Amino acid sequence: EVQLQASGGGLVQAGGSLRLSCAASGFNFDDHAIGWFRQAPGKERVGVACISSSAGSTYYADSVKGRVTMSSDNAKNSVYLQMNSLKPEDTAVYYCAAKTGAVGIEAYEFDYWGQGTLVTVSS
């Protein structure tokens, strides 16, 4: 069974930091790119970052570039999203997802999805 378990969300003040984790199982982690998406209330789900450890590439959306760092630990089948200088507009449910091949940022490209973790940034 494919599972993507996101964790690490919470309530943080503007300017603060959070580190999200995503633990994957049930598929070949090394052959997949893992992405982070977020969905704010009343808005569409959008891509935040994506990493392909096999390709050695990482992609960041312009909205978070310079403030977030995505990393992976293939030994643990896990990826992480370090988010710094958080803003109220970063408030959303954050999801991790997996796709085969190269990094991507569009939700339709991804085959497997986790359940999401809520990040709330207070002003």
Side-chain angles (χ1 to χ4, degrees):
E1 179 187 4
V2 172
Q3 288 192 335
L4 289 158
Q5 185 73 34
S7 61
L11 173 64
V12 63
Q13 288 189 331
S17 299
L18 277 177
R19 186 186 190 226
L20 305 184
S21 300
C22 175
S25 62
F27 61 95
N28 191 333
F29 186 83
D30 294 344
D31 290 344
H32 285 71
I34 309 296
W36 283 101
F37 291 78
R38 67 185 182 187
Q39 187 166 18
K43 296 190 176 181
E44 293 185 351
R45 190 172 300 188
V46 296
V48 174
C50 187
I51 191 168
S52 169
S53 56
S54 62
S57 59
T58 311
Y59 174 88
Y60 298 102
D62 288 343
S63 59
V64 299
K65 199 172 293 183
R67 298 190 296 121
V68 307
T69 303
M70 189 170 181
S71 60
S72 69
D73 184 339
N74 286 29
K76 296 183 178 180
N77 283 7
S78 294
V79 298
Y80 309 96
L81 188 71
Q82 177 67 43
M83 303 190 295
N84 301 320
S85 302
L86 283 163
K87 306 175 182 180
E89 51 263 44
D90 294 318
T91 295
V93 177
Y94 284 71
Y95 301 88
C96 56
K99 66 180 294 290
T100 55
V103 294
I105 207 65
E106 299 293 339
Y108 71 84
E109 298 178 85
F110 288 75
D111 303 306
Y112 308 125
W113 290 84
Q115 86 293 353
T117 185
L118 176 63
V119 172
T120 304
V121 184
S122 63
S123 57

